[in-house]
Amino acid sequence: MALPFLLLLLWFPLAESKLNVDYYNKTCPEFLETMGRVITDKQLSTPTTAAGALRLFFHDCMVGGCDASLLITTNAFNKAERDAELDRSLPGDAFDLVIRAKTALELQCPGIVSCADIMAVAARDLVTMVGGPHYKVRLGRKDSLVSRASDVEGHIASPNMTLDKIISMFESKGLSIQEMVALSGAHTIGFSHCSEFSNRIYNFSKTSQYDPSMNPKYAEGLRKLCTNYTKDMGVSAFNDVMTPGKFDNMYYLNLQRGLGLLASDQAMASDPRTKPFVDLYAKNQTAFFNAFAHAMEKVSIYMIKTGKKGEVRHRCDAFNSIQTGETKTTA
């Protein structure tokens, strides 16, 4: 048995041993086919869906595990995870995709497929659809019984967080620096609002209007794009200015050229702990794809819920019973 696989087994708790790629073969045999149809329709109609679904999945997994806790809607008794400050910018199209998939699957096999599994497969299939690697997704996750906005802080990296803090955050979840750099490559698709990088392009310091680590022409272009961002909060820029809709290694090449959009991304191109991996993935897309696929497999079974520790929700945005603070009452 290969050493990396042995290490992977040692890293995770026993719960994930209940997961397998054939989990729904008998109970919902058309699961993957239905997912594929819903995902394709949504991506073709809204090309930003891939980046949104990937981000949604990652945000969900990093806070308490891959358990769809991020999908729960706030009610009178509980402020849910999705309403935390760091999650408010998550795109509605990603939530819509999960709702569409869940609705289709409930018509075919009611009460069988979890929202957590839908999120995991959607992220994988969309990455592949826009040119990225295909990797195995083991199935059988249950949906969470808890979702609290107060749990988010300290688990999701913000655009201006220092690299030290980001590395520490990833390491606390058993993810190495190399895995962090590989996962950051997800920024090869998607966009960021001007408010997330405005401090890099306006009044950066007493000696420079913009962050000197940025390509000057790139900085100037962003300054023009974001001129009215304080009035129009929806103004945004692609994370990858060169190939924004394609999952490739251009993100790392951009970092080498001073074309990183977010400060936390650009910092990886110069820090001695991360630079070797940025350079490797910029030079070798296959190495990036392999590393990304491995890291996503690892993330996708982080603190998953099985058995009585979770449930299969009837609706992805609501628990099967009403929550009142820490307790639950039957609806």
Side-chain angles (χ1 to χ4, degrees), residues 235-272:
V235 179
S236 58
F238 288 119
N239 293 326
D240 175 355
V241 69
M242 305 302 288
T243 56
K246 183 180 180 183
F247 197 100
D248 54 20
N249 68 332
M250 185 59 71
Y251 163 81
Y252 300 102
L253 289 162
N254 288 341
L255 296 185
Q256 292 178 326
R257 299 164 181 166
L259 299 176
L261 186 63
L262 304 176
S264 54
D265 285 349
Q266 190 60 56
M268 294 194 301
S270 56
D271 190 287

Side-chain angles (χ1 to χ4, degrees), residues 257-286:
R257 299 164 181 166
L259 299 176
L261 186 63
L262 304 176
S264 54
D265 285 349
Q266 190 60 56
M268 294 194 301
S270 56
D271 190 287
R273 294 168 294 181
T274 52
K275 186 179 185 298
F277 303 119
V278 170
D279 293 344
L280 170 63
Y281 300 149
K283 181 175 62 176
N284 188 333
Q285 180 168 279
T286 300

Side-chain angles (χ1 to χ4, degrees), residues 42-306:
K42 181 65 178 178
Q43 177 65 16
L44 289 176
S45 64
T46 312
T48 56
T49 299
L54 182 54
R55 187 176 173 212
L56 188 74
F57 178 65
F58 191 73
H59 276 230
D60 180 60
C61 291
M62 292 295 277
V63 182
C66 305
D67 56 10
S69 55
L70 185 52
L71 302 179
I72 293 295
T73 300
T74 293
N75 59 32
F77 307 107
N78 176 60
K79 183 178 180 181
E81 198 174 305
R82 67 191 291 177
D83 284 322
E85 186 66 34
L86 287 168
D87 287 331
R88 286 179 183 171
S89 64
L90 290 170
D93 284 313
F95 289 96
D96 179 61
L97 170 65
V98 178
I99 291 170
R100 291 187 187 198
K102 179 64 170 175
T103 301
L105 289 165
E106 283 299 297
L107 291 172
Q108 287 185 350
C109 33
I112 298 297
V113 181
S114 69
C115 303
D117 278 347
I118 289 173
M119 292 176 75
V121 171
R124 188 272 310 278
D125 284 4
L126 282 161
V127 164
T128 305
M129 193 176 297
V130 294
H134 187 275
Y135 53 90
K136 290 182 180 179
V137 173
R138 287 187 278 169
L139 303 166
R141 299 165 187 75
K142 292 292 181 67
D143 299 323
S144 74
L145 303 174
V146 175
S147 175
R148 292 184 295 258
S150 58
D151 291 340
V152 175
E153 187 69 30
H155 296 281
I156 301 293
S158 61
N160 299 308
M161 185 176 284
T162 66
L163 200 53
D164 282 342
K165 287 186 177 179
I166 295 174
I167 288 173
S168 177
M169 181 186 302
F170 274 73
E171 287 181 338
S172 72
K173 301 178 189 306
L175 295 164
S176 68
I177 291 175
Q178 181 170 7
E179 288 166 334
M180 181 204 76
V181 177
L183 289 168
S184 297
H187 285 171
T188 188
I189 54 176
F191 59 86
S192 297
H193 293 100
C194 291
S195 57
E196 296 179 271
F197 56 86
S198 59
N199 64 316
R200 299 189 70 205
I201 57 176
Y202 297 119
N203 305 313
F204 181 77
S205 68
K206 292 181 180 180
T207 58
S208 178
Q209 277 290 306
Y210 57 86
D211 185 342
S213 68
M214 298 183 83
N215 178 290
K217 290 184 178 180
Y218 181 52
E220 189 58 38
L222 290 172
R223 284 167 60 84
K224 291 178 180 178
L225 173 69
C226 298
T227 299
N228 297 315
Y229 84 94
T230 56
K231 296 178 181 178
D232 183 0
M233 299 301 288
V235 179
S236 58
F238 288 119
N239 293 326
D240 175 355
V241 69
M242 305 302 288
T243 56
K246 183 180 180 183
F247 197 100
D248 54 20
N249 68 332
M250 185 59 71
Y251 163 81
Y252 300 102
L253 289 162
N254 288 341
L255 296 185
Q256 292 178 326
R257 299 164 181 166
L259 299 176
L261 186 63
L262 304 176
S264 54
D265 285 349
Q266 190 60 56
M268 294 194 301
S270 56
D271 190 287
R273 294 168 294 181
T274 52
K275 186 179 185 298
F277 303 119
V278 170
D279 293 344
L280 170 63
Y281 300 149
K283 181 175 62 176
N284 188 333
Q285 180 168 279
T286 300
F288 164 49
F289 277 15
N290 289 340
F292 182 83
H294 173 78
M296 283 298 289
E297 285 189 58
K298 189 171 178 179
V299 167
S300 72
I301 51 176
Y302 175 64
M303 291 184 68
I304 53 100
K305 314 297 185 293
T306 58

Side-chain angles (χ1 to χ4, degrees), residues 304-316:
I304 53 100
K305 314 297 185 293
T306 58
K308 295 181 179 179
K309 292 183 178 180
E311 64 183 7
V312 175
R313 292 184 203 139
H314 305 309
R315 289 180 42 158
C316 289

